Amino acid sequence: GFDPANVFTLQFRLPQTKYTKPEDIAQFFKNAIERVRAVPGVQSAALVRAVPFSGNGGNTGYAIEGRPEPDPASLPQARFHLITPDYFKTMRIPLRQGRLFDAGDRRATSIAAVVSETFSKRFYPGENVLGKQVAIAGDSHWKEIVGVVGDTRHGGLSGVGSPEIYWP
């Protein structure tokens, strides 16, 4: 799923009393990535809500456009990741189909989503997933699936991949 060689990860939480506005949080993230990229020897830097094997993150319900809306209690579940555009490059998660996020894909305005191979195969068997629309629970904005990436493991090396959705 990903190549851990020479990857350094760090967890942090922003103080909610200091970072109260989304634009302040976004600026902190932008500055943090720029500073890390400026360190000699750094080839790539990105932010993600939950790195593989961290024990963080979780599943979220989602809806698929054009399919019957399920009961909210029985929404299909997928791991949900908020990432910066270079996340896949940094973790060397392979692109299987379509494209990855670019600088034009911003959380507030983007209509793009990337999904894992398991997501694609489980919910669109025998279909081309590119161009399909998906929305996570609690977010009424539909996102177009623009890419499919290799599966990653979050709980350990054993087991199979799980459905995953990535938002910029």
Side-chain angles (χ1 to χ4, degrees):
F2 67 96
D3 181 358
N6 299 313
V7 172
F8 174 77
T9 65
L10 171 71
Q11 287 187 35
F12 63 90
R13 302 235 191 283
L14 296 180
Q16 293 179 344
T17 54
K18 183 175 179 179
Y19 295 93
T20 57
K21 296 183 271 182
E23 55 270 16
D24 293 339
I25 295 168
Q27 189 61 49
F28 175 88
F29 290 156
K30 181 178 183 230
N31 292 343
I33 287 177
E34 287 172 1
R35 289 178 178 162
V36 169
R37 285 183 181 141
V39 173
V42 170
Q43 296 175 0
S44 182
L47 294 172
V48 62
R49 187 169 157 246
V51 295
F53 303 125
S54 69
N56 292 328
N59 291 340
T60 188
Y62 64 90
I64 297 173
E65 188 176 49
R67 296 197 181 168
E69 190 170 327
D71 175 355
S74 62
L75 284 173
Q77 298 287 305
R79 291 189 70 82
F80 176 67
H81 307 282
L82 291 172
I83 65 170
T84 56
D86 281 346
Y87 175 69
F88 300 114
K89 173 186 170 191
T90 301
M91 295 296 288
R92 294 183 291 281
I93 297 171
L95 175 66
R96 301 293 193 214
Q97 185 180 10
R99 71 171 179 89
L100 300 176
F101 296 129
D102 57 35
D105 295 314
R106 301 275 186 243
R107 184 172 188 336
T109 60
S110 178
I111 60 165
V114 171
V115 298
S116 66
E117 280 184 288
T118 294
F119 181 99
S120 176
K121 290 175 183 174
R122 186 173 297 171
F123 301 110
Y124 294 96
E127 295 181 53
N128 181 0
V129 70
L130 299 180
K132 305 290 187 189
Q133 303 281 322
V134 64
I136 62 166
D139 186 348
S140 61
H141 297 95
W142 290 100
K143 306 280 188 182
E144 179 181 343
I145 298 171
V146 298
V148 177
V149 294
D151 290 333
T152 59
R153 305 289 191 273
H154 286 268
L157 291 174
S158 63
V160 296
S162 63
E164 298 182 74
I165 302 172
Y166 299 87
W167 251 226

